[in-house]
Every structure is written in structure tokens, then in C-alpha cells.
């Protein structure tokens, strides 16, 4: 990070501190920074500053940040500053999610125990950025031999045939 970048970041941060919560929320929308529904001004400001910080980091600094936050690193071929930045931002987004939303996100990654896990356990799984193999498909149910198959069933009867059958039963 150069001195010029630091100075620009400080100026931007000062502008943000002077903005209303509504203005900060609009700035988050523009920058695609996810904020919690009930985030106050201080939290929104913190998230914008964190986003700006990640945008100014090189790959090595982002790796350190990921490791410090418990975020798994991608394999060496995909370990670019852009991918590391994406992972940091994704985890920040997950931090704003409700417990139920985290469970849904884990379930969509085939984490079957999601409904029994704590928020911390769900976040630890998500920070691996893994999608597990889907569970094996259930065995198809064996046909019920006591029930007639379609070919053994009688064809539908007309109302006249049904009435004739009822009359024969009464005789």
C-alpha cells in the first residue's frame, strides 16, 4: 500500500464518518457490501472500512488475513488476490446472516448435520468453502405384492355397469 492509497483511504473514511446511516447503507449497496438488517451506523462504517482495506491489500496480506480469520485458502493455482478478497467478503456476508440462513447455506453444500450445529460450527464449515458429496439416493421401495399392479386392475366401469353390479349383489 502506497502513501497515496493510505491518504485516499483516510479521506474516504472521513467522508463516510460524516454520512448518515442511510447514506452509508447506499454506499454499501453501490460497493456490494452486505450489511445486516439491523446494523447501526458504527457497524456499517466498520464494514465499509474493512471492504476498502481488503481492496487495497495484495495477495500476501490477504492470505494472512484469511489465515487469521480461519478462512481456508484455495489451491495454489486459484490463490489470487481476487479470489482471496472474494472469500473475505463472502465470510463477512455470512457473518450478517441469521442462524436459519446459515443452516440453509450449509445444507445447500450438502452439510447434513447443519440443523444440529451452532452458529460457530456452521461458520467454521462455510469458511472451508467446501461442498460435500450429496448423500446416496435412497433405495427404491420394493413393489407391494399384496396390491394389484395396473395391468391386474379392472378397467374403469361405466355408470351403467356399476349399477348392474349393485343390482346383482342385492339379488
Amino acid at each position: 500500500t502506497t502513501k497515496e492509497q493510505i491518504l485516499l483511504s483516510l479521506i474516504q473514511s472521513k467522508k463516510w464518518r460524516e454520512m448518515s446511516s442511510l447514506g452509508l447503507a447506499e454506499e454499501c449497496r453501490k460497493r456490494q457490501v452486505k450489511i445486516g438488517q439491523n446494523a447501526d451506523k458504527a457497524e456499517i462504517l466498520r464494514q465499509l472500512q474493512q471492504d476498502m482495506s481488503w481492496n487495497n491489500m495484495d495477495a500476501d496480506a490477504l492470505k494472512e488475513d484469511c489465515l487469521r480469520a480461519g478462512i481456508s485458502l484455495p489451491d495454489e493455482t486459484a490463490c489470487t488476490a481476487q479470489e482471496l478478497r472474494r472469500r473475505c467478503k463472502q465470510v463477512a456476508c455470512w457473518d450478517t446472516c441469521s442462524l436459519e440462513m446459515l443452516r440453509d447455506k450449509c445444507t445447500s453444500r450438502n452439510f447434513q448435520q447443519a440443523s444440529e450445529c451452532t452458529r460457530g460450527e456452521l461458520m467454521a464449515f462455510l469458511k472451508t468453502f467446501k461442498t460435500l458429496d450429496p448423500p446416496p439416493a435412497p433405495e427404491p421401495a420394493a413393489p407391494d405384492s399384496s396390491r394389484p399392479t395396473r395391468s391386474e386392475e379392472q378397467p374403469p366401469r361405466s355408470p351403467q355397469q356399476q349399477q348392474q353390479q349393485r343390482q346383482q349383489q342385492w339379488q
Side-chain angles (χ1 to χ4, degrees), residues 16-31:
W16 286 337
R17 280 194 299 275
E18 294 168 357
M19 293 173 77
S20 68
S21 294
L22 194 57
L24 290 172
E26 178 60 24
E27 189 71 19
C28 286
R29 190 190 63 71
K30 286 180 194 172
R31 293 172 171 267

Side-chain angles (χ1 to χ4, degrees), residues 70-133:
I71 300 170
S72 295
L73 299 178
D75 63 47
E76 281 303 311
T77 58
C79 200
T80 63
Q82 182 178 0
E83 175 58 20
L84 294 167
R85 197 172 290 117
R86 186 192 71 76
R87 286 179 178 226
C88 289
K89 290 179 180 192
Q90 182 61 64
V91 170
C93 179
W94 288 330
D95 275 336
T96 68
C97 291
S98 68
L99 182 61
E100 200 52 44
M101 285 177 73
L102 289 177
R103 286 187 171 134
D104 289 346
K105 291 181 185 312
C106 287
T107 300
S108 73
R109 292 173 177 259
N110 299 318
F111 185 53
Q112 299 304 309
Q113 299 83 8
S115 63
E116 304 159 13
C117 291
T118 65
R119 181 179 189 81
E121 292 166 332
L122 296 170
M123 285 297 293
F125 171 73
L126 289 170
K127 287 178 180 183
T128 67
F129 285 84
K130 291 181 182 175
T131 297
L132 303 175
D133 292 331

